[in-house]
Amino acid sequence: MKAISLQKVAEVCGGTYVGPVDDLEKCITGVQIDSRKVTEGDLFVAIPGERVDGHDFVAGVLEKGATAALCQREPEGVLAGYILVESTVTAMQALAAYYREWIDVKVVGITGSVGKTSTKEMIAAVLGVRYPVLKTEGNFNNGIGLPLTIFRIEPEHQIAVLEMGISDFGEMHMLAGMAQPDICVITNIGMCHLENLKTRDGILKAKTECFAHLHSGGAVVLNGDDDKLSQIVQVAGEKPVFYGISGKSLCETDIWADQIQDEGLGGMTMVLHAGQDACKVSEPIPGAHNVYNVLAAAAVARQLGMSLEEIAIGASRAATISGRTNLIHAKGITVIDDCYNANPVSMRASLDVLSTAKGRKIAVLGDMGELGKEERKLHYDVGEYAGHCPIDYLFCVGTLAEEIVKGAKASNPDLPVVYEVKKEAIIPKLLQVLQEQDTVLVKASHFMEFTSVVKELTE
């Protein structure tokens, strides 16, 4: 992080520094919310939580060498060395917005219902062929994680690829207000966060709040095969850059792919087109949906002056991360670790990936969250889809997953299905049927904590 004086921090945050006036000349060189990670020069942001209050650790982090703490109440046993603000989270977000505007970097902001993280990874891999890139790590894509990501931008970075995840109206204004993207990417408008956003039109409205914070002269990159996004004619007087698959697109696309070949768990190949230019691209991540990740990355890269050949190199280097179509080979089996999150669209896509595997195919599916009043029907529909897939066993876990069972049985009465409410009960039954060369898909929403299932299968 580029150094910022305490005087500027206090000014930007609208806070009051408690301590010697001379200290205002000191600088922060990092920002932390976890007291265990604080090192010399950091600003510690004391966030009050349900179980842990960061204010209880202020004295300790100052002793460790933190330059100062950001507090919303006077910390006990501390007489100096902190900036007092009304809300530490809001103050941290204001500081992040200032830092992003201050540091010279191009920002690619990514949102969408499905595929944000895998698209982010592909874009970072492609842009990394030419540029020094910083990208969002893990799930640091919300009102607390995004500012921490922004603070990691160093002067040597030329591009920051930032993921923005929301679940309600207004949140995107807050996130994009910090990110201030030069390029906005929206992957799709699916059936996610219906609890608050109600309909796909509500999701579209919430996601496109990011347009209000697009830098002047910036670009908007949209999936032209999405029925909602393809209807967007212009943003700030400019036509969006659309990408899509030849023959499927609902509008005229600027970047498209054809001659697509599914290589099973080995990934996808395609011919990528941009105007009159074309190039064969091979990417190693399985699943037809990953073609869209390549297309999104290509659309962004072209806006930043990259050639199709450079894009092909970057796509070939892309890798998965834990919990997202991550292939793990262990104990003679292959586990498709896709348990970070789930919704109806991504469930179907993951079942499609499993269907390409050789040998026996086993799906372990759990509850999907935040689907609103239609949640039971949406789980049933996933079950119906699973029943039509060429899989050998279906294991279902959770209260809503009972609807997956019903749907699967309705579409394929002969499919062996095992159901339990708790994952601890399903694991021994799953281990009993496993054989060498099996491929196992593990997929559910994050709150189901299916990482424990992956560990049982692989460690």
Side-chain angles (χ1 to χ4, degrees), residues 34-215:
D34 186 337
S35 62
R36 297 167 296 184
K37 296 181 179 179
V38 169
T39 59
E40 188 172 344
D42 283 343
L43 173 71
F44 174 66
V45 181
I47 298 177
E50 293 181 7
R51 292 179 295 178
V52 178
D53 188 341
H55 293 82
D56 296 337
F57 303 94
V58 171
V61 298
L62 292 175
E63 288 179 6
K64 286 174 64 175
T67 299
L70 200 59
C71 303
Q72 62 187 54
R73 65 172 174 81
E74 295 181 3
E76 292 184 15
V78 179
L79 300 177
Y82 62 93
I83 298 171
L84 197 59
V85 296
E86 186 173 335
S87 164
T88 51
V89 171
T90 302
M92 179 173 66
Q93 293 168 352
L95 185 61
Y98 164 78
Y99 185 72
R100 183 270 176 270
E101 186 68 31
W102 181 45
I103 197 165
D104 185 19
V105 66
K106 292 284 187 184
V107 169
V108 180
I110 303 167
T111 190
S113 297
V114 182
K116 292 185 295 295
T117 299
S118 56
T119 303
K120 175 256 300 180
E121 292 293 321
M122 182 64 73
I123 290 174
V126 167
L127 298 183
V129 172
R130 180 184 286 196
Y131 301 105
V133 174
L134 175 107
K135 65 180 180 180
T136 301
E137 298 292 348
N139 61 344
F140 278 47
N141 63 359
N142 59 17
I144 292 176
L146 181 61
L148 292 174
T149 301
I150 290 172
F151 294 133
R152 290 177 46 236
I153 301 173
E154 300 287 354
E156 61 264 25
H157 291 127
Q158 294 182 30
I159 297 176
V161 182
L162 305 180
E163 182 180 334
M164 301 180 292
I166 64 165
S167 60
D168 207 347
F169 296 107
E171 291 181 357
M172 185 58 74
H173 278 302
M174 176 264 293
L175 295 176
M178 285 186 280
Q180 304 165 54
D182 297 281
I183 301 175
C184 283
V185 181
I186 305 183
T187 60
N188 46 55
I189 303 298
M191 304 291 282
C192 301
H193 307 301
L194 294 175
E195 212 166 36
N196 296 322
L197 303 177
K198 307 302 181 186
T199 65
R200 289 183 69 224
D201 285 329
I203 296 167
L204 176 67
K205 181 180 178 182
K207 298 290 185 184
T208 54
E209 288 174 359
C210 62
F211 296 163
H213 305 278
L214 183 68
H215 262 189

Side-chain angles (χ1 to χ4, degrees), residues 162-388:
L162 305 180
E163 182 180 334
M164 301 180 292
I166 64 165
S167 60
D168 207 347
F169 296 107
E171 291 181 357
M172 185 58 74
H173 278 302
M174 176 264 293
L175 295 176
M178 285 186 280
Q180 304 165 54
D182 297 281
I183 301 175
C184 283
V185 181
I186 305 183
T187 60
N188 46 55
I189 303 298
M191 304 291 282
C192 301
H193 307 301
L194 294 175
E195 212 166 36
N196 296 322
L197 303 177
K198 307 302 181 186
T199 65
R200 289 183 69 224
D201 285 329
I203 296 167
L204 176 67
K205 181 180 178 182
K207 298 290 185 184
T208 54
E209 288 174 359
C210 62
F211 296 163
H213 305 278
L214 183 68
H215 262 189
S216 177
V220 170
V221 173
L222 304 175
N223 182 346
D225 296 358
D226 184 280
D227 60 325
K228 298 294 184 183
L229 296 174
S230 61
Q231 296 178 31
I232 298 174
V233 177
Q234 64 177 25
V235 178
E238 297 293 330
K239 177 184 175 295
V241 177
F242 286 105
Y243 62 88
I245 294 174
S246 180
K248 289 187 178 182
S249 294
L250 303 171
C251 63
E252 184 179 349
T253 54
D254 303 276
I255 305 289
W256 71 96
D258 60 12
Q259 301 180 48
I260 298 167
Q261 296 291 325
D262 192 330
E263 306 296 338
L265 297 186
M268 305 292 298
T269 62
M270 70 204 78
V271 175
L272 180 65
H273 298 264
Q276 299 300 311
D277 297 334
C279 182
K280 185 175 180 179
V281 175
S282 297
E283 62 88 21
I285 306 171
H289 57 286
N290 283 300
V291 173
Y292 286 101
N293 299 342
V294 174
L295 290 170
V300 171
R302 293 292 279 186
Q303 291 297 305
L304 295 169
M306 294 181 65
S307 68
L308 291 188
E309 289 72 23
E310 288 175 311
I311 293 165
I313 293 170
S316 70
R317 296 175 180 174
T320 59
I321 60 176
S322 177
R324 295 173 172 90
T325 320
N326 183 31
L327 300 184
I328 304 173
H329 304 283
K331 298 182 178 179
I333 65 171
T334 298
V335 175
I336 304 174
D337 169 20
D338 205 1
C339 64
Y340 179 77
N341 220 334
N343 56 63
V345 174
S346 66
M347 277 282 197
R348 289 178 173 85
S350 295
L351 286 164
D352 289 342
V353 172
L354 177 64
S355 298
T356 67
K358 297 178 181 179
R360 297 197 313 167
K361 307 166 188 65
I362 300 170
V364 184
L365 307 181
D367 288 357
M368 300 175 286
E370 299 183 359
L371 294 180
K373 62 182 180 180
E374 294 292 314
E375 61 182 5
R376 302 196 76 83
K377 180 183 182 301
L378 293 170
H379 280 79
Y380 183 92
D381 292 346
V382 165
E384 270 194 326
Y385 191 84
H388 290 301

Side-chain angles (χ1 to χ4, degrees), residues 407-451:
K409 283 297 187 181
S411 62
N412 185 358
D414 297 326
L415 177 65
V417 179
V418 180
Y419 171 69
E420 293 287 350
V421 175
K422 296 184 180 298
K423 62 180 179 292
E424 290 79 12
I426 208 83
I427 289 172
K429 296 181 179 181
L430 174 60
L431 295 175
Q432 283 179 356
V433 305
L434 280 181
Q435 298 177 6
E436 285 196 7
Q437 307 303 316
D438 284 351
T439 299
V440 185
L441 166 67
V442 184
K443 178 96 176 151
S445 280
H446 190 58
F447 69 88
M448 293 294 290
E449 298 180 345
F450 265 28
T451 51

